[in-house]
Amino acid sequence: MAKFDKKLGAILTKCNILTEEQKENLLGESERSNASLTEAIVDKKICAESDIISAISSEMNLHPINLDKVKPNPMALEKLSEEQCKSYQVLPISKLGKILTVAVANPFDVLILDDVKIVTGCEIVPVISTDMALKRAIKNAFTEEVDTGEQMDQLLAGDATGDMELKEDKEDDGLDLAEDLKSEGSPVVKLVNLLIMQAIESKASDIHIEPFERKLRVRYRIDGACQETVSPPKKLHPAIVSRIKIMSNMDIAERRKPQDGKYQMRVKGRQVDFRVSVLPMVHGEKVCIRILDSSGLSLSLESLGFETQALEDFKWAVKQPYGMLLVTGPTGSGKSTTLYSSVREVLTVEDNITTVEDPVEYQLDGVNQVPVSEKRGLTFAAALRSILRQDPDTVMIGEIRDKETAEIAVKAALTGHLVLSTLHTNDAPSTITRLIDMGIDPFMVSSSVIMVAAQRLLRKLCLECREKYVPPRERVLEVGCKEDEIETGQYYKAKGCGRCNAGYKGRFAILETMRMREEIRRIVIGGGSALDIRGKALEKDMITLRRCALLNALRGKTSIEEVLAMTQDEV
C-alpha cells in the first residue's frame, strides 16, 4: 500500500491536487495511522474521491468507474469469492465472453492483475476506482438478500416520498385483498413511491422492473441507456406488481395476459403522467413504466436545438394555412415533443386546435385533446371523422398507423386544415414512398404534404470530462467530413466522471427537413423512388441526419462514435 500511495501522491501533485508539502505530510500521517493516502485526503476534505479517480484514470489512460452507482453483474461476481476480492482489492463488474471488467484501486500492481487472470481464466480489463469505494462495493456486492431487504428498509426509513400523491380513479375494482396495497402507510406503497421518486429525480424516461430466477432487477433509462439501481428483494415482486396494477386500474388477478394502463401523480407540486405495460415472463410479470413529466417538456421550437436551416424550415411549415407536416423516426426519438412544440407555436385564441392521441401524453391548456380508446370503438380514424365536424384549424394526429387514417389525414390537409402527425420511417424521403405503399394516390400525397422531418436524439458529451483528441483522418472522412473541416473541427470523445453517464449527460435532437418543392412533387407524381426523391432534395440543400449529427460533433457537442451509432451512412 505504501508503494502505491507514493505513486498516487506523485500523480496528485502533478495534477495540482496536492502541493509537495501536503503530499509529504499526508504520506507521513497515513503511514502512522495505518490508513491509505486516499482516506487521509478525503478525511481532510482536500478533494473528492471522484477527483482522485479522475487523476489516476488520466495518468494510466484507463476508464474510471463510480462504484456507488454501478451494480456488478452476478455472472461476473461468480468468478471471484468475497475473500479473493478483499485480498486482491478488486471487484468484477461485468463479463462478456472471456473478457472480465474488473474495478481496481491500484492499476500499477500487474502481479495482482496476472493472478486475477489466472484465477478467473479471463482476459482482464481494469477500470479505476479507489480503495475506499472498493471496500464499500465489495461489502454491498456480497450482501445476502436479507441485507438487501434491510437496505431497502433503511431507504424507506428516510422516506423522501411524502410530497407524492396518487390521483385516485373513482372506479374501484372491489378486491378486498388489495386494501393493504392501497394504504399509503404500507411498506410496499412506500417502496413503489420511492422507486418512482428516484426515477424522476434522475430524469429517467422509463422504469423497468424485471423478475429473474433468483433476483428482481430495477433499471432506469437515463439519456437513452438503462442503468441498474438498488433492487428490492425478490419476495416483494408480486406485491410490487399488484400495487402498480392497482395504481393503473388493471386487473390484479390476471397474471397470464399482457395489460396496459396509466395513472397520474402529483410530485412536488407538479402533475406527472405514467404509462404502464405489464408483460408475463418466465419468472413473473415484467413492468415497464414510461414517465411523462411535463415540467421537463420544452414547448419552444428554438429550445430544441435544431440546426438553423431545419428550424427555419419547420417554422415555415407550421405557419402554413393548410397542408400536412410529418415528423418521422423510431420510438423514443422525441417526435411527440417536437409535435407538441409545433402545436404551441401555432396556438392562439383565434385558432381551434384539436389532437387525437393514444394516449394523451401531455395536457396543454387551450388545446382540445382526444384520447383514442380501441375498447370503446374510438379509433384514430373514427376520432378524425368526428374532429373534422368540429370546425378545426389545426389537427394533430399522434400517429398514422393505417390506410384509413392516412386517407382522412390527406383529405383534411387538402380541405384547408393544417395536419401534424408522425410516421415510423428511417428518413424524410422514404416517408413519401411509405404513404404511397399504404395505398394513398401519389397525386394526393404530392398535393397534401408540405414538409417531412426525420428526427433522432443524440447524447451530449459531458462538459466536465469530455476529452479533446485528434481522430484518424480516415475515420472522419468515413463519417462524411469535408476536407476543410478535418483541420478546423473541435473533436472530443467521451471519458466519464461522477457527474455523468459514461461520458454523456443529456440529449439533444437532430432534424432532417425536406420541403415538398415543385421538383420533388413532379418526381412523386411520376412514380419516382425514395432515392430519386433524396437526390433531388440534396440538390435543394437538404441537410441529412448524418450531416446534422456531424456538424454537432465538429462543435464538440457529441462524439464521432455517437454519430456513427445513431445515423446511417449516406449513399
Side-chain angles (χ1 to χ4, degrees):
M1 180 60 76
K3 190 176 179 180
F4 169 68
D5 281 350
K6 288 181 180 178
K7 287 186 177 180
L8 176 59
I11 292 171
L12 297 179
T13 305
K14 180 181 174 182
C15 296
N16 296 320
I17 293 175
L18 296 179
T19 63
E20 281 291 341
E21 184 180 353
Q22 282 178 316
K23 181 186 76 172
E24 295 302 325
N25 290 338
L26 287 168
L27 284 172
E29 282 184 30
S30 61
E31 191 173 345
R32 287 191 295 273
S33 62
N34 200 27
S36 69
L37 179 61
T38 301
E39 290 173 313
I41 292 170
V42 173
D43 185 55
K44 290 186 176 295
K45 298 182 180 178
I46 295 172
C47 71
E49 278 187 84
S50 58
D51 297 322
I52 298 172
I53 294 171
S54 180
I56 304 172
S57 170
S58 299
E59 180 70 19
M60 297 296 294
N61 197 26
L62 294 172
H63 290 293
I65 188 168
N66 185 342
L67 290 176
D68 293 329
K69 293 186 176 181
V70 174
K71 188 170 182 180
N73 186 289
M75 290 179 64
L77 282 178
E78 290 175 0
K79 305 304 292 185
L80 290 174
S81 66
E82 184 176 2
E83 290 71 27
Q84 288 172 320
C85 288
K86 288 178 178 178
S87 174
Y88 293 132
Q89 274 296 285
V90 300
L91 181 65
I93 301 298
S94 65
K95 183 176 179 291
L96 183 62
K98 284 289 184 180
I99 299 175
L100 186 68
T101 301
V102 177
V104 299
N106 182 3
F108 304 102
D109 196 334
V110 292
L111 294 178
I112 282 182
L113 294 178
D114 285 343
D115 282 354
V116 173
K117 180 179 178 180
I118 293 168
V119 170
T120 61
C122 296
E123 290 296 322
I124 304 301
V125 176
V127 290
I128 300 300
S129 184
T130 64
D131 56 310
M132 294 173 66
L134 271 169
K135 287 176 184 176
R136 294 194 301 269
I138 291 170
K139 181 181 177 182
N140 291 334
F142 292 95
T143 301
E144 295 296 328
E145 189 176 90
V146 175
D147 296 325
T148 305
E150 290 174 4
Q151 189 178 13
M152 295 306 300
D153 288 343
Q154 289 172 9
L155 285 172
L156 292 171
D159 186 15
T161 63
D163 204 5
M164 297 180 72
E165 179 187 354
L166 177 67
K167 186 176 179 182
E168 297 285 358
D169 198 306
K170 297 300 181 184
E171 296 180 14
D172 197 318
D173 52 23
L175 293 172
D176 294 334
L177 60 93
E179 283 305 314
D180 184 52
L181 297 176
K182 292 180 179 180
S183 168
E184 291 299 320
S186 165
V188 173
V189 172
K190 286 185 177 180
L191 175 55
V192 171
N193 286 350
L194 178 67
L195 294 175
I196 293 169
M197 178 65 86
Q198 286 181 339
I200 292 172
E201 290 177 348
S202 303
K203 300 188 184 304
S205 61
D206 300 87
I207 304 172
H208 293 270
I209 301 172
E210 304 162 312
F212 295 97
E213 185 178 3
R214 297 176 184 171
K215 61 173 284 189
L216 181 65
R217 182 171 71 177
V218 178
R219 295 189 294 170
Y220 298 146
R221 185 176 292 279
I222 303 171
D223 293 338
C226 287
Q227 298 179 20
E228 196 164 346
T229 185
V230 177
S231 297
K234 178 71 161 59
K235 63 185 179 182
L236 291 181
H237 174 242
I240 291 170
V241 175
S242 294
R243 169 58 184 168
I244 294 170
K245 283 181 176 179
I246 289 170
M247 295 167 72
S248 312
N249 289 307
M250 296 181 190
D251 181 0
I252 67 169
E254 179 57 72
R255 296 185 179 89
R256 290 182 286 184
K257 291 181 181 177
Q259 294 189 70
D260 294 305
K262 60 183 178 180
Y263 63 93
Q264 293 178 344
M265 295 189 84
R266 185 164 293 280
V267 182
K268 293 185 176 179
R270 67 181 190 270
Q271 183 173 293
V272 181
D273 294 279
F274 300 85
R275 286 205 326 243
V276 183
S277 173
V278 177
L279 183 67
M281 310 292 284
V282 175
H283 299 293
E285 292 174 291
K286 177 190 171 180
V287 179
C288 179
I289 304 174
R290 168 66 57 90
I291 302 171
L292 303 166
D293 187 358
S294 57
S295 67
L297 178 66
S298 172
L299 290 178
S300 157
L301 287 175
E302 286 84 357
S303 64
L304 296 179
F306 296 150
E307 293 297 314
T308 304
Q309 181 180 321
L311 181 60
E312 289 174 357
D313 286 345
F314 214 93
K315 283 194 162 187
W316 168 84
V318 297
K319 287 178 181 176
Q320 298 308 301
Y322 56 87
M324 185 155 61
L325 166 60
L326 295 171
V327 181
T328 77
T331 301
S333 59
K335 300 189 298 297
S336 295
T337 300
T338 302
L339 279 185
Y340 279 113
S341 299
S342 305
V343 169
R344 188 76 173 184
E345 189 78 14
V346 299
L347 182 58
T348 62
V349 177
E350 292 82 10
D351 285 340
N352 178 18
I353 302 175
T354 309
T355 73
V356 189
E357 304 169 66
D358 182 23
V360 173
E361 292 191 6
Y362 301 106
Q363 296 181 22
L364 302 176
D365 287 336
V367 178
N368 304 296
Q369 295 174 273
V370 180
V372 168
S373 175
E374 300 283 348
K375 292 179 180 178
R376 301 200 306 268
L378 187 60
T379 61
F380 273 110
L384 270 176
R385 287 195 189 90
S386 296
I387 283 172
L388 293 178
R389 293 192 287 270
Q390 291 279 322
D391 184 34
D393 296 294
T394 301
V395 178
M396 186 186 102
I397 308 168
E399 182 185 343
I400 294 178
R401 297 177 179 174
D402 51 44
K403 180 183 177 182
E404 189 178 10
T405 306
E407 284 178 339
I408 300 171
V410 167
K411 288 176 183 176
L414 291 172
T415 53
H417 305 90
L418 179 62
V419 179
L420 313 173
S421 190
T422 69
L423 207 62
H424 287 285
T425 57
N426 291 325
D427 57 19
S430 63
T431 305
I432 302 299
T433 53
R434 173 70 191 280
L435 283 172
I436 295 170
D437 290 341
M438 289 174 75
I440 308 301
D441 184 88
F443 178 78
M444 300 282 278
V445 173
S446 67
S447 302
S448 60
V449 177
I450 54 174
M451 196 183 79
V452 182
Q455 183 167 314
R456 296 292 186 277
L457 290 180
L458 267 63
R459 292 182 295 172
K460 287 191 285 190
L461 284 169
C462 174
L463 297 178
E464 301 290 336
C465 67
R466 64 178 183 174
E467 191 172 81
K468 196 169 184 179
Y469 79 118
V470 180
R473 183 183 180 83
E474 308 76 40
R475 180 76 159 171
V476 289
L477 286 173
E478 174 194 348
V479 178
C481 245
K482 297 176 181 177
E483 288 288 344
D484 59 326
E485 294 172 336
I486 296 176
E487 301 299 329
T488 58
Q490 301 291 313
Y491 300 100
Y492 289 85
K493 61 182 177 180
K495 185 179 178 183
C497 65
R499 304 176 186 88
C500 64
N501 303 310
Y504 297 94
K505 188 175 183 180
R507 291 191 291 177
F508 66 98
I510 58 171
L511 205 67
E512 171 183 291
T513 54
M514 185 185 78
R515 289 198 198 187
M516 285 293 285
R517 303 178 189 275
E518 192 61 37
E519 298 88 342
I520 296 176
R521 294 185 195 278
R522 289 198 190 100
I523 292 173
V524 174
I525 295 171
S529 67
L531 285 176
D532 296 329
I533 297 171
R534 182 185 181 83
K536 182 57 69 175
L538 288 172
E539 283 181 24
K540 296 296 179 180
D541 298 325
M542 178 183 78
I543 298 179
T544 64
L545 284 169
R546 169 59 65 88
R547 178 67 182 163
C548 186
L550 179 59
L551 289 172
N552 283 283
L554 291 172
R555 301 185 192 112
K557 192 172 183 179
T558 191
S559 64
I560 294 291
E561 289 70 28
E562 185 73 357
V563 172
L564 290 168
M566 299 304 296
T567 59
Q568 287 184 329
D569 286 336
E570 295 178 3
V571 292

